[in-house]
Amino acid sequence: VKAFVLVSYQRGYVEQETTAKKLASLPFVKRVYIITGEWDILLEVVARDIEELGDFVVKRIRKVPGVEKTLTLAVLKRVKELE
C-alpha cells in the first residue's frame, strides 16, 4: 500500500532538515519533501498492507525527534504517474 504522510515539525527541538533526513533514512520511506503550508514535511511511503503502514507510522515515524504529529493519506488508486 502506498501512502503520503504529512508531518508537523516541532520547532525548536531539532533542525527541520535534520528531522527530514532522519525520516528519509527509515525503511518504507521512498521520498521526502520539505513543504510550505500547514504541514512541514511530506513523505511518500510504501508498506505491504495497511496494518504494516499503521505500525510504521506509530512506532517509527512518530518516534523521530522533531515530529510533532502526522496525518496519513492512503492511496486508493493511482490514476497517473510520470516515470
Side-chain angles (χ1 to χ4, degrees):
V1 65
K2 180 182 279 193
F4 295 94
V5 181
L6 292 165
V7 177
S8 179
Y9 164 70
Q10 186 177 359
R11 287 159 179 73
Y13 192 69
V14 295
E15 292 293 323
Q16 183 176 2
E17 192 165 343
T18 301
T19 298
K21 286 179 179 178
K22 177 63 177 170
L23 291 165
S25 74
L26 296 176
F28 308 143
V29 175
K30 303 303 177 191
R31 292 181 176 85
V32 178
Y33 305 94
I34 294 175
I35 59 173
T36 62
E38 186 176 339
W39 296 88
D40 304 301
I41 300 170
L42 173 65
L43 310 177
E44 182 180 330
V45 176
V46 177
R48 283 188 311 241
D49 54 39
I50 200 74
E51 185 176 345
E52 184 177 65
L53 174 64
D55 285 345
F56 179 65
V57 170
V58 172
K59 295 176 181 174
R60 299 296 299 275
I61 292 175
R62 291 184 184 169
K63 304 281 187 201
V64 171
V67 172
E68 181 176 20
K69 63 182 178 178
T70 62
L71 176 65
T72 303
L73 307 151
V75 173
L76 299 176
K77 181 178 182 180
R78 179 178 64 192
V79 177
K80 179 180 181 179
E81 184 170 325
L82 299 175
E83 296 299 324

Coordinates of all heavy atoms in Angstrom, one line a residue:
V1 N 0.9 -1.2 0.0 CA 0.0 0.0 0.0 C 0.9 1.2 0.0 O 1.9 1.3 0.7 CB -1.0 0.0 1.2 CG1 -0.3 0.1 2.5 CG2 -2.0 1.1 1.1
K2 N 0.5 2.2 -0.9 CA 1.3 3.4 -0.9 C 0.5 4.5 -0.1 O -0.8 4.5 -0.1 CB 1.4 3.9 -2.3 CG 2.2 5.3 -2.4 CD 2.3 5.8 -3.9 CE 3.4 5.0 -4.5 NZ 3.8 5.7 -5.8
A3 N 1.2 5.3 0.6 CA 0.5 6.4 1.4 C 1.4 7.6 1.3 O 2.6 7.6 1.1 CB 0.3 6.0 2.8
F4 N 0.8 8.7 1.6 CA 1.5 10.0 1.8 C 1.3 10.4 3.3 O 0.2 10.3 3.8 CB 1.0 11.1 0.9 CG 1.3 10.8 -0.5 CD1 0.4 10.2 -1.3 CD2 2.5 11.1 -1.1 CE1 0.6 9.8 -2.7 CE2 2.8 10.8 -2.4 CZ 1.9 10.2 -3.2
V5 N 2.4 10.7 4.0 CA 2.3 11.1 5.4 C 2.7 12.5 5.5 O 3.8 12.9 5.2 CB 3.2 10.2 6.2 CG1 3.0 10.6 7.7 CG2 2.8 8.7 6.0
L6 N 1.8 13.3 6.0 CA 2.1 14.7 6.3 C 2.7 14.8 7.7 O 2.1 14.1 8.6 CB 0.9 15.6 6.2 CG 0.3 15.8 4.8 CD1 -1.1 16.3 4.8 CD2 1.2 16.7 4.0
V7 N 3.7 15.5 7.9 CA 4.4 15.6 9.2 C 4.4 17.1 9.7 O 4.9 18.0 8.9 CB 5.8 15.1 9.1 CG1 6.6 15.2 10.5 CG2 5.8 13.6 8.7
S8 N 4.0 17.3 10.9 CA 4.1 18.6 11.5 C 5.4 18.6 12.3 O 5.7 17.7 13.2 CB 3.0 18.9 12.4 OG 3.1 20.1 13.0
Y9 N 6.3 19.5 12.0 CA 7.6 19.7 12.6 C 7.5 20.4 13.9 O 6.9 21.5 14.0 CB 8.6 20.3 11.7 CG 9.8 20.9 12.2 CD1 10.8 20.0 12.7 CD2 10.1 22.2 12.4 CE1 12.0 20.5 13.2 CE2 11.2 22.7 12.9 CZ 12.2 21.9 13.3 OH 13.3 22.3 13.9
Q10 N 8.1 19.9 15.0 CA 8.1 20.6 16.3 C 9.3 21.5 16.4 O 10.5 21.1 16.6 CB 8.2 19.5 17.4 CG 8.1 20.1 18.8 CD 8.1 19.0 19.9 OE1 8.2 17.8 19.5 NE2 8.1 19.4 21.1
R11 N 9.1 22.8 16.1 CA 10.1 23.8 16.1 C 10.9 23.9 17.4 O 10.3 23.8 18.5 CB 9.5 25.2 15.7 CG 9.1 25.2 14.2 CD 8.1 26.3 14.0 NE 7.8 26.4 12.6 CZ 7.0 25.5 11.9 NH1 6.5 24.4 12.5 NH2 6.7 25.6 10.6
G12 N 12.2 24.2 17.3 CA 13.0 24.4 18.5 C 13.5 23.2 19.1 O 14.4 23.2 20.0
Y13 N 13.1 22.0 18.6 CA 13.6 20.7 19.2 C 14.9 20.3 18.5 O 15.9 20.1 19.1 CB 12.4 19.7 19.0 CG 12.7 18.4 19.7 CD1 12.6 18.4 21.1 CD2 12.9 17.3 19.1 CE1 12.8 17.3 21.8 CE2 13.1 16.1 19.8 CZ 13.1 16.1 21.2 OH 13.2 14.9 21.8
V14 N 14.8 20.2 17.2 CA 16.0 19.9 16.3 C 15.7 20.7 15.0 O 14.6 21.2 14.8 CB 16.2 18.4 16.0 CG1 16.6 17.7 17.3 CG2 15.0 17.8 15.3
E15 N 16.7 20.8 14.2 CA 16.6 21.5 12.9 C 15.6 20.7 12.0 O 15.6 19.4 12.0 CB 17.9 21.6 12.2 CG 18.9 22.5 12.8 CD 18.4 24.0 12.8 OE1 17.8 24.4 11.8 OE2 18.6 24.7 13.8
Q16 N 14.8 21.4 11.2 CA 13.8 20.7 10.4 C 14.5 19.8 9.4 O 14.0 18.7 9.2 CB 12.9 21.8 9.7 CG 11.9 21.1 8.8 CD 11.0 22.2 8.2 OE1 11.2 23.4 8.3 NE2 10.0 21.7 7.5
E17 N 15.5 20.2 8.8 CA 16.2 19.4 7.8 C 16.8 18.1 8.5 O 16.8 17.1 7.8 CB 17.3 20.2 7.1 CG 17.8 19.4 5.9 CD 18.6 20.3 4.9 OE1 18.6 21.5 5.0 OE2 19.4 19.7 4.1
T18 N 17.2 18.2 9.7 CA 17.7 17.0 10.4 C 16.6 16.0 10.6 O 16.8 14.8 10.4 CB 18.3 17.5 11.8 OG1 19.3 18.4 11.6 CG2 18.8 16.3 12.6
T19 N 15.4 16.5 11.0 CA 14.2 15.6 11.1 C 13.9 15.0 9.7 O 13.7 13.8 9.7 CB 13.0 16.4 11.6 OG1 13.3 16.9 12.9 CG2 11.8 15.6 11.7
A20 N 13.9 15.8 8.7 CA 13.6 15.3 7.3 C 14.6 14.2 6.9 O 14.2 13.2 6.4 CB 13.6 16.4 6.3
K21 N 15.9 14.4 7.2 CA 16.9 13.4 6.8 C 16.8 12.1 7.6 O 17.0 11.0 7.1 CB 18.3 14.0 7.0 CG 18.6 15.0 5.9 CD 20.0 15.6 6.1 CE 20.3 16.6 5.0 NZ 21.6 17.3 5.2
K22 N 16.4 12.3 8.9 CA 16.2 11.1 9.7 C 15.0 10.3 9.2 O 15.0 9.1 9.1 CB 16.0 11.5 11.2 CG 15.6 10.3 12.1 CD 16.8 9.3 12.2 CE 16.4 8.2 13.2 NZ 17.4 7.1 13.2
L23 N 13.9 11.0 8.8 CA 12.8 10.3 8.2 C 13.1 9.6 6.9 O 12.7 8.5 6.6 CB 11.6 11.3 8.0 CG 11.0 11.9 9.3 CD1 10.2 13.1 9.0 CD2 10.1 10.8 10.0
A24 N 14.0 10.3 6.1 CA 14.4 9.7 4.9 C 15.2 8.4 5.0 O 15.2 7.6 4.1 CB 15.3 10.7 4.1
S25 N 15.8 8.2 6.2 CA 16.6 7.0 6.4 C 15.8 5.8 6.8 O 16.3 4.7 6.9 CB 17.7 7.3 7.5 OG 17.1 7.4 8.7
L26 N 14.5 6.0 7.1 CA 13.7 5.0 7.6 C 13.3 4.0 6.5 O 13.1 4.5 5.3 CB 12.4 5.5 8.3 CG 12.6 6.3 9.5 CD1 11.2 6.9 9.9 CD2 13.2 5.5 10.6
P27 N 13.1 2.7 6.8 CA 12.6 1.8 5.7 C 11.2 2.2 5.3 O 10.5 2.9 6.1 CB 12.6 0.5 6.4 CG 12.5 0.8 7.9 CD 13.3 2.1 8.0
F28 N 10.8 1.9 4.2 CA 9.4 2.1 3.6 C 9.3 3.6 3.1 O 8.4 3.9 2.3 CB 8.3 1.9 4.5 CG 8.3 0.5 5.2 CD1 7.9 0.3 6.5 CD2 8.7 -0.6 4.5 CE1 7.9 -0.9 7.1 CE2 8.6 -1.9 5.0 CZ 8.2 -2.0 6.4
V29 N 10.2 4.5 3.5 CA 10.1 5.9 3.0 C 10.8 6.0 1.7 O 12.0 5.7 1.5 CB 10.7 6.9 4.0 CG1 10.7 8.3 3.5 CG2 10.0 6.8 5.3
K30 N 10.0 6.4 0.6 CA 10.6 6.4 -0.7 C 11.0 7.8 -1.1 O 11.9 8.0 -1.9 CB 9.5 5.9 -1.7 CG 9.1 4.5 -1.5 CD 10.2 3.5 -1.5 CE 9.8 2.1 -1.1 NZ 10.9 1.2 -0.9
R31 N 10.2 8.8 -0.7 CA 10.6 10.2 -1.0 C 10.2 11.1 0.2 O 9.3 10.8 1.0 CB 9.8 10.7 -2.2 CG 10.2 10.0 -3.5 CD 9.4 10.6 -4.7 NE 9.8 10.0 -5.9 CZ 9.4 8.8 -6.4 NH1 8.5 8.1 -5.7 NH2 9.9 8.3 -7.5
V32 N 11.0 12.2 0.4 CA 10.8 13.2 1.4 C 10.9 14.6 0.9 O 11.8 14.9 0.2 CB 11.8 13.0 2.6 CG1 11.6 14.0 3.7 CG2 11.8 11.6 3.1
Y33 N 9.9 15.4 1.2 CA 9.9 16.8 0.8 C 9.6 17.7 2.0 O 8.8 17.4 2.8 CB 8.7 17.0 -0.2 CG 8.7 16.1 -1.4 CD1 8.0 14.9 -1.4 CD2 9.4 16.4 -2.5 CE1 8.0 14.1 -2.5 CE2 9.4 15.6 -3.7 CZ 8.7 14.4 -3.6 OH 8.7 13.6 -4.7
I34 N 10.4 18.8 2.0 CA 10.1 19.9 3.0 C 9.1 20.8 2.2 O 9.4 21.2 1.1 CB 11.3 20.6 3.4 CG1 12.2 19.6 4.3 CG2 11.0 21.8 4.2 CD1 13.5 20.2 4.7
I35 N 7.9 21.1 2.8 CA 6.9 21.8 2.1 C 6.4 23.0 2.8 O 6.8 23.2 4.0 CB 5.7 20.8 1.8 CG1 5.1 20.3 3.1 CG2 6.1 19.7 0.9 CD1 3.8 19.5 3.0
T36 N 5.6 23.8 2.1 CA 5.0 25.0 2.8 C 3.6 24.7 3.2 O 3.0 23.7 2.7 CB 5.0 26.2 1.8 OG1 4.2 25.9 0.7 CG2 6.4 26.6 1.4
G37 N 3.0 25.6 4.0 CA 1.6 25.4 4.4 C 1.5 24.9 5.8 O 2.4 25.1 6.6
E38 N 0.3 24.4 6.1 CA 0.0 23.9 7.5 C 0.9 22.8 7.9 O 1.2 22.7 9.1 CB -1.4 23.5 7.6 CG -1.9 23.2 8.9 CD -3.4 22.8 9.0 OE1 -4.1 23.2 8.1 OE2 -3.8 22.2 10.0
W39 N 1.4 22.0 7.0 CA 2.3 20.8 7.3 C 3.7 21.2 6.9 O 3.8 22.0 6.0 CB 1.7 19.6 6.7 CG 0.4 19.2 7.3 CD1 -0.8 19.6 6.9 CD2 0.2 18.4 8.4 NE1 -1.8 19.1 7.7 CE2 -1.2 18.3 8.6 CE3 1.0 17.7 9.3 CZ2 -1.8 17.6 9.7 CZ3 0.4 16.9 10.3 CH2 -1.0 16.9 10.5
D40 N 4.7 20.5 7.4 CA 6.0 20.9 7.1 C 6.8 19.9 6.3 O 7.8 20.3 5.6 CB 6.8 21.1 8.5 CG 6.1 22.1 9.4 OD1 5.9 23.2 8.9 OD2 5.7 21.7 10.5
I41 N 6.5 18.7 6.4 CA 7.3 17.6 5.7 C 6.2 16.6 5.1 O 5.2 16.3 5.7 CB 8.2 16.8 6.6 CG1 9.2 17.8 7.2 CG2 8.9 15.7 5.9 CD1 10.1 17.2 8.4
L42 N 6.5 16.2 3.8 CA 5.7 15.2 3.1 C 6.5 14.0 2.8 O 7.6 14.1 2.3 CB 5.1 15.8 1.8 CG 4.3 14.9 0.9 CD1 3.1 14.4 1.6 CD2 4.1 15.5 -0.4
L43 N 6.0 12.8 3.2 CA 6.6 11.6 3.0 C 5.8 10.7 2.0 O 4.6 10.7 2.1 CB 6.8 10.7 4.3 CG 7.4 11.4 5.5 CD1 7.4 10.5 6.7 CD2 8.8 11.9 5.2
E44 N 6.5 10.1 1.1 CA 5.8 9.0 0.3 C 6.3 7.7 0.9 O 7.5 7.5 1.0 CB 6.2 9.1 -1.1 CG 5.5 8.1 -2.0 CD 5.9 8.3 -3.5 OE1 6.2 9.4 -3.9 OE2 5.9 7.2 -4.2
V45 N 5.4 6.8 1.3 CA 5.7 5.6 2.0 C 5.0 4.4 1.3 O 3.9 4.6 0.8 CB 5.2 5.7 3.5 CG1 5.4 4.4 4.2 CG2 5.8 6.9 4.2
V46 N 5.7 3.3 1.2 CA 5.2 2.1 0.7 C 5.3 1.0 1.7 O 6.4 0.7 2.2 CB 5.8 1.7 -0.6 CG1 5.3 0.4 -1.2 CG2 5.6 2.8 -1.7
A47 N 4.2 0.3 2.1 CA 4.2 -0.8 3.0 C 3.5 -2.0 2.4 O 2.8 -1.8 1.4 CB 3.6 -0.4 4.3
R48 N 3.6 -3.2 3.0 CA 2.9 -4.4 2.5 C 1.4 -4.3 2.6 O 0.7 -4.7 1.7 CB 3.4 -5.6 3.2 CG 4.7 -6.1 2.8 CD 5.0 -7.5 3.4 NE 4.7 -7.4 4.9 CZ 5.6 -7.6 5.8 NH1 6.8 -8.0 5.5 NH2 5.2 -7.6 7.1
D49 N 0.9 -3.7 3.7 CA -0.5 -3.7 3.9 C -0.8 -2.5 4.9 O 0.1 -1.9 5.4 CB -1.1 -5.0 4.4 CG -0.4 -5.5 5.6 OD1 0.0 -4.7 6.5 OD2 -0.2 -6.8 5.7
I50 N -2.1 -2.3 5.1 CA -2.5 -1.2 5.9 C -2.0 -1.3 7.4 O -1.7 -0.4 8.1 CB -4.0 -0.9 5.8 CG1 -4.4 0.5 6.3 CG2 -4.8 -1.9 6.6 CD1 -4.0 1.6 5.3
E51 N -2.0 -2.6 7.9 CA -1.5 -2.8 9.2 C -0.1 -2.5 9.4 O 0.3 -1.8 10.4 CB -1.8 -4.3 9.6 CG -1.4 -4.5 11.1 CD -1.8 -6.0 11.5 OE1 -2.5 -6.7 10.8 OE2 -1.3 -6.4 12.6
E52 N 0.8 -2.9 8.4 CA 2.2 -2.6 8.5 C 2.4 -1.1 8.4 O 3.2 -0.5 9.1 CB 2.9 -3.3 7.4 CG 4.4 -3.0 7.4 CD 5.1 -3.8 6.3 OE1 4.9 -3.5 5.1 OE2 5.9 -4.7 6.7
L53 N 1.6 -0.4 7.6 CA 1.7 1.1 7.4 C 1.4 1.7 8.8 O 2.1 2.6 9.2 CB 0.7 1.5 6.3 CG 0.6 3.1 6.2 CD1 1.9 3.7 5.8 CD2 -0.6 3.4 5.2
G54 N 0.3 1.3 9.4 CA -0.1 1.9 10.7 C 1.0 1.7 11.8 O 1.3 2.6 12.5
D55 N 1.5 0.5 11.8 CA 2.6 0.2 12.8 C 3.8 1.1 12.5 O 4.4 1.6 13.4 CB 3.0 -1.2 12.8 CG 2.0 -2.2 13.4 OD1 1.1 -1.7 14.2 OD2 2.1 -3.4 13.2
F56 N 4.1 1.3 11.2 CA 5.3 2.1 10.8 C 5.1 3.5 11.2 O 6.0 4.2 11.8 CB 5.5 1.9 9.3 CG 6.7 2.7 8.8 CD1 8.0 2.5 9.2 CD2 6.5 3.8 8.0 CE1 9.0 3.2 8.8 CE2 7.5 4.6 7.5 CZ 8.8 4.3 7.9
V57 N 3.9 4.1 11.0 CA 3.7 5.5 11.3 C 3.8 5.7 12.9 O 4.4 6.6 13.3 CB 2.3 5.9 10.8 CG1 1.9 7.3 11.4 CG2 2.3 6.0 9.3
V58 N 3.1 4.8 13.6 CA 3.0 5.0 15.0 C 4.3 4.6 15.7 O 4.8 5.4 16.6 CB 1.9 4.1 15.6 CG1 1.9 4.1 17.1 CG2 0.5 4.6 15.1
K59 N 5.0 3.6 15.3 CA 6.2 3.1 16.0 C 7.5 3.6 15.5 O 8.5 3.6 16.2 CB 6.2 1.6 16.0 CG 5.1 0.9 16.7 CD 5.1 -0.6 16.6 CE 3.9 -1.2 17.4 NZ 3.8 -2.6 17.1
R60 N 7.5 4.1 14.3 CA 8.8 4.6 13.7 C 8.7 6.1 13.4 O 9.5 6.9 13.9 CB 9.2 3.8 12.5 CG 9.4 2.4 12.7 CD 10.5 2.0 13.6 NE 11.8 2.5 13.1 CZ 12.6 1.8 12.3 NH1 12.2 0.7 11.8 NH2 13.8 2.3 11.9
I61 N 7.8 6.5 12.6 CA 7.8 8.0 12.2 C 7.5 8.9 13.4 O 8.3 9.9 13.5 CB 6.7 8.2 11.1 CG1 7.1 7.5 9.8 CG2 6.5 9.7 10.9 CD1 6.1 7.6 8.7
R62 N 6.6 8.6 14.2 CA 6.2 9.4 15.3 C 7.3 9.4 16.4 O 7.2 10.3 17.3 CB 4.9 9.1 15.9 CG 3.7 9.4 15.0 CD 2.4 9.1 15.6 NE 1.3 9.3 14.6 CZ 0.1 9.0 14.8 NH1 -0.3 8.3 15.9 NH2 -0.8 9.2 13.9
K63 N 8.2 8.5 16.4 CA 9.3 8.5 17.3 C 10.5 9.3 16.9 O 11.4 9.5 17.7 CB 9.8 7.0 17.6 CG 8.7 6.1 18.0 CD 8.4 6.2 19.4 CE 7.4 5.1 19.8 NZ 6.7 5.3 21.0
V64 N 10.5 9.8 15.7 CA 11.7 10.6 15.2 C 11.7 12.0 15.9 O 10.7 12.7 16.0 CB 11.6 10.8 13.7 CG1 12.6 11.8 13.2 CG2 11.8 9.4 13.0
P65 N 12.8 12.4 16.5 CA 12.9 13.7 17.1 C 12.5 14.8 16.1 O 12.9 14.9 15.0 CB 14.4 13.8 17.5 CG 14.9 12.4 17.6 CD 14.1 11.7 16.5
G66 N 11.6 15.7 16.6 CA 11.2 16.8 15.8 C 9.8 16.6 15.2 O 9.2 17.5 14.7
V67 N 9.3 15.3 15.2 CA 8.0 15.0 14.7 C 6.9 15.3 15.8 O 6.9 14.7 16.8 CB 7.8 13.6 14.2 CG1 6.4 13.2 13.9 CG2 8.8 13.3 13.0
E68 N 6.1 16.3 15.5 CA 5.0 16.7 16.5 C 3.8 15.8 16.3 O 3.2 15.3 17.2 CB 4.7 18.2 16.3 CG 3.7 18.6 17.3 CD 3.4 20.1 17.2 OE1 3.7 20.7 16.2 OE2 2.9 20.7 18.2
K69 N 3.3 15.7 15.0 CA 2.1 15.0 14.7 C 2.1 14.6 13.2 O 2.9 15.1 12.5 CB 0.8 15.7 15.0 CG 0.6 17.0 14.2 CD -0.6 17.7 14.7 CE -0.8 19.0 13.9 NZ -2.0 19.7 14.2
T70 N 1.3 13.6 12.9 CA 1.3 13.1 11.5 C -0.2 13.0 11.0 O -1.1 12.9 11.8 CB 1.9 11.8 11.3 OG1 1.2 10.8 12.1 CG2 3.4 11.8 11.7
L71 N -0.4 13.0 9.7 CA -1.6 12.7 9.1 C -1.3 11.8 7.9 O -0.5 12.2 7.0 CB -2.3 14.0 8.5 CG -3.6 13.9 7.8 CD1 -4.7 13.3 8.6 CD2 -4.0 15.2 7.2
T72 N -1.9 10.6 7.9 CA -1.6 9.6 6.9 C -2.7 9.5 5.9 O -3.9 9.4 6.2 CB -1.4 8.2 7.6 OG1 -0.4 8.3 8.5 CG2 -1.1 7.2 6.5
L73 N -2.4 9.6 4.6 CA -3.3 9.5 3.5 C -3.0 8.3 2.6 O -2.0 8.3 1.9 CB -3.2 10.8 2.6 CG -3.3 12.1 3.4 CD1 -2.5 13.2 2.8 CD2 -4.7 12.5 3.6
A74 N -3.8 7.3 2.7 CA -3.5 6.0 2.0 C -4.1 6.2 0.6 O -5.1 6.8 0.3 CB -4.2 4.9 2.6
V75 N -3.3 5.7 -0.4 CA -3.7 5.8 -1.8 C -4.7 4.7 -2.1 O -4.4 3.5 -1.9 CB -2.4 5.7 -2.7 CG1 -2.8 5.6 -4.2 CG2 -1.5 6.9 -2.5
L76 N -5.8 5.1 -2.7 CA -6.8 4.1 -3.1 C -6.6 3.6 -4.5 O -6.8 2.4 -4.8 CB -8.2 4.7 -3.0 CG -8.6 5.1 -1.6 CD1 -10.0 5.8 -1.6 CD2 -8.6 4.0 -0.6
K77 N -6.2 4.5 -5.4 CA -6.0 4.1 -6.8 C -5.1 5.2 -7.4 O -5.2 6.4 -7.2 CB -7.3 4.1 -7.5 CG -7.2 3.7 -8.9 CD -8.6 3.7 -9.6 CE -8.6 3.2 -11.0 NZ -9.9 3.2 -11.6
R78 N -4.1 4.7 -8.2 CA -3.2 5.6 -8.9 C -3.9 5.8 -10.3 O -4.2 4.9 -11.0 CB -1.8 5.0 -9.1 CG -0.9 5.8 -9.9 CD 0.5 5.2 -10.1 NE 0.3 4.0 -10.8 CZ 1.3 3.1 -10.9 NH1 2.4 3.3 -10.3 NH2 1.1 2.0 -11.7
V79 N -4.0 7.1 -10.6 CA -4.6 7.5 -11.9 C -3.6 7.8 -12.9 O -3.6 7.4 -14.1 CB -5.6 8.6 -11.7 CG1 -6.2 9.1 -13.1 CG2 -6.7 8.3 -10.8
K80 N -2.5 8.5 -12.5 CA -1.4 8.8 -13.4 C -0.1 8.9 -12.6 O -0.1 9.5 -11.5 CB -1.7 10.1 -14.1 CG -0.6 10.6 -15.0 CD -0.9 11.9 -15.7 CE 0.2 12.3 -16.7 NZ -0.1 13.5 -17.4
E81 N 1.0 8.5 -13.1 CA 2.3 8.6 -12.5 C 3.3 8.8 -13.6 O 3.4 7.9 -14.5 CB 2.6 7.5 -11.6 CG 3.9 7.7 -10.9 CD 4.1 6.6 -9.8 OE1 3.1 6.2 -9.2 OE2 5.3 6.2 -9.6
L82 N 4.1 9.8 -13.6 CA 5.1 10.0 -14.5 C 6.4 9.3 -14.1 O 6.7 9.2 -12.9 CB 5.5 11.5 -14.7 CG 4.3 12.4 -15.2 CD1 4.7 13.8 -15.2 CD2 3.9 12.0 -16.6
E83 N 7.1 8.7 -15.0 CA 8.3 7.9 -14.6 C 9.5 8.8 -14.8 O 9.6 9.7 -15.4 CB 8.5 6.7 -15.6 CG 7.3 5.7 -15.4 CD 7.2 5.1 -14.0 OE1 8.3 4.9 -13.4 OE2 6.1 4.9 -13.6

